[in-house]
Amino acid sequence: MPHTRPPDSGGRAAGLLILAVVLVVMVDTTTGPELHISSFMGIAPLVAALRCSYRWTLVVAAVYVACLTYVDILTVPDWAPASRVVGVFGTVLVAVFALVLCRTRLEREALHARTSLVADAVQQAVLRELPLRAGSVEAYGFYISAQEGARVGGDIFEAVETPHGLRLMIGDVQGKGMPAIGAGLEVLASFREAAHHQDSLESVAERMEQALTRYNTRSVEQGTDERFVTALLMEVRGPSKGWVLSCGHIPYYLVRHGVVSERSDGEGGLPLGLGTLSRERRRSVRVHPRPDDWLVLCTDGVTEARGADGEFYPLRERLAAWTHLPPPDVARALRADLEDFTGGDLKDDATALIVRRSPAAADPAAAGRAERAGGQETAGGQETAGGPGATGGPAARASGGRPPAPPPTVRRIS
């Protein structure tokens, strides 16, 4: 959950208000009955009700009542008794109203805090917080919703370690903000399930397509809009084997030896939700990762962000200037630069993931030690993370169903 500071009790504000009331009353006692300026200090307990705790509001209200009662009774000799009673009653009425206002505000703030706590928990369950870690892969980045205050919206992403290798997905739902959450949740949940049980990216995409089709059918019955989702799926199995499948998603970027290149591997497939428009099946493309590669995956909220002059955000050029930085710093620099470029006025949900292997996994010697340790644990009856005995993926099909090589140590695709 996000860290929140303890609420300010408003002691400083209350002190300033009390000082103001006392000073005004002192001035009022020296100016004579013709100028009764302390009557305007009824604003003090009302301000305290909006800024301070109930205890401090009570203190301000008490000081206000005491001071105004003193002025009304002792400094206005020409007032009739009835006028004095009305003045004191009005003062007390303002104080009571301030206390009721403060109590109502605090109750609403408590309700909002509880609601926000639940909403944060739900949103975290929908979309994991960055950085993502799955096996030896690390994915840094950011997600910015087009709807203020929302932590989820039309962009989705996930990385999971499965019996079929590392599988990574980034997607962009048609639309933005809160209205796109339903379709995004259906596709994301389907990926999380299918990634563990389907032996190819094509099968995973088909399951995601089916889930979105069911969602669209329900949407039509309820009178809401159908939606499609672009998605980029990746799989890494073994030290130099990878597959990429694009469902109408924008290209990704490969950073290799300080050089940034745009990659469109696996393009050609229709977005999820539109698969019935073509009889051609989506097909993944084989790629060959290298140990020191890292990737930049994003949604069109980044690449189609516009500056004040109407120009699109130059993502490739910006990345080329940051290749010397580690991925966490690249993610921070990219977000800050994107918000500066657009003046903080993003028109669409924006997501960027900078994906790499963890430093330990990038070291072949460390990887070898990890594999040997994993073998010793298995011999001792311990289960190793990542499912080294899985046989369902493309590598297993190519080898006649035999288990693949030891657990993959490469976690990015080139």
Side-chain angles (χ1 to χ4, degrees):
M1 307 299 292
H3 175 71
T4 56
R5 294 181 300 174
D8 183 9
S9 65
R12 180 177 297 181
L16 292 176
L17 290 171
I18 292 172
L19 179 62
V21 171
V22 172
L23 290 176
V24 169
V25 168
M26 292 176 62
V27 172
D28 209 7
T29 58
T30 62
T31 57
E34 295 82 7
L35 189 61
H36 195 43
I37 60 176
S38 58
S39 299
F40 296 101
M41 291 311 296
I43 192 68
L46 298 178
V47 171
L50 298 176
R51 297 292 303 274
C52 305
S53 66
Y54 187 83
R55 180 179 178 181
W56 279 114
T57 302
L58 179 61
V59 172
V60 174
V63 172
Y64 166 75
V65 170
C67 290
L68 267 290
T69 299
Y70 169 79
V71 170
D72 291 342
I73 293 178
L74 300 179
T75 65
V76 189
D78 296 335
W79 274 18
S83 298
R84 298 178 192 277
V85 171
V86 170
V88 173
F89 177 77
T91 300
V92 173
L93 189 63
V94 170
V96 171
F97 178 77
L99 293 175
V100 172
L101 179 62
C102 181
R103 176 67 68 185
T104 302
R105 173 183 66 86
L106 293 175
E107 289 176 351
R108 289 184 177 274
E109 287 180 352
L111 176 61
H112 176 72
R114 292 193 298 270
T115 303
S116 298
L117 188 66
V118 174
D120 279 343
V122 172
Q123 291 181 108
Q124 282 185 337
V126 172
L127 206 60
R128 288 202 291 156
E129 287 193 352
L130 293 167
L132 297 178
R133 289 182 173 85
S136 60
V137 109
E138 298 175 339
Y140 298 88
F142 60 84
Y143 170 69
I144 306 173
S145 175
Q147 182 162 334
E148 185 177 358
R151 294 177 55 194
V152 295
D155 290 353
I156 53 177
F157 50 83
E158 186 59 285
V160 292
E161 183 75 8
T162 76
H164 311 290
L166 170 73
R167 285 179 170 173
L168 176 71
M169 183 273 294
I170 185 170
D172 186 358
V173 183
Q174 176 196 10
K176 61 183 179 180
M178 302 298 285
I181 288 180
L185 178 58
E186 290 285 344
V187 173
L188 184 59
S190 177
F191 171 79
R192 287 169 171 165
E193 178 70 16
H196 287 274
H197 300 289
Q198 301 300 314
D199 61 356
S200 68
L201 292 183
E202 291 87 346
S203 299
V204 174
E206 183 62 27
R207 294 292 295 274
M208 297 165 68
E209 173 90 32
Q210 294 169 1
L212 185 58
T213 299
R214 292 192 296 269
Y215 172 83
N216 284 335
T217 300
R218 293 195 303 270
S219 297
V220 171
E221 293 172 351
Q222 297 169 3
T224 57
D225 295 333
E226 296 180 86
R227 298 185 183 274
F228 64 83
V229 178
T230 68
L232 183 67
L233 281 69
M234 295 184 169
E235 176 183 311
V236 174
R237 175 188 285 269
S240 60
K241 298 178 182 178
W243 287 263
V244 179
L245 175 62
S246 176
C247 302
H249 201 72
I250 62 174
Y252 65 97
Y253 294 85
L254 167 68
V255 181
R256 175 177 289 171
H257 303 311
V259 178
V260 180
S261 58
E262 183 178 290
R263 304 299 297 265
S264 56
D265 306 313
E267 278 193 344
L270 291 174
L272 302 171
L274 303 179
T276 56
L277 300 180
S278 173
R279 295 183 178 180
E280 185 176 352
R281 287 197 64 193
R282 302 181 180 92
R283 296 188 180 279
S284 61
V285 173
R286 176 77 174 270
V287 291
H288 304 278
R290 293 186 183 178
D292 57 350
D293 291 346
W294 47 280
L295 307 177
V296 179
L297 285 63
C298 64
T299 59
D300 58 13
V302 176
T303 57
E304 296 181 5
R306 292 179 181 268
D309 56 359
E311 294 294 323
F312 289 116
Y313 183 70
L315 178 58
R316 182 173 178 177
E317 289 76 8
R318 293 293 203 270
L319 292 175
W322 298 329
T323 55
H324 64 286
L325 298 175
D329 292 340
V330 173
R332 286 189 287 268
L334 177 55
R335 175 167 186 165
D337 188 67
L338 181 64
E339 292 182 340
D340 181 68
F341 182 83
T342 61
D345 185 24
L346 283 170
K347 303 299 184 183
D348 195 5
D349 300 324
T351 299
L353 300 178
I354 293 86
V355 185
R356 69 164 184 183
R357 286 177 299 161
S358 63
D363 181 358
R369 291 193 298 270
E371 288 180 8
R372 290 193 296 272
Q376 293 172 358
E377 290 182 355
T378 303
Q382 300 295 325
E383 182 181 356
T384 57
T391 61
R397 295 196 300 272
S399 61
R402 296 190 303 274
T409 59
V410 176
R411 298 305 185 197
R412 286 184 313 283
I413 301 171
S414 62

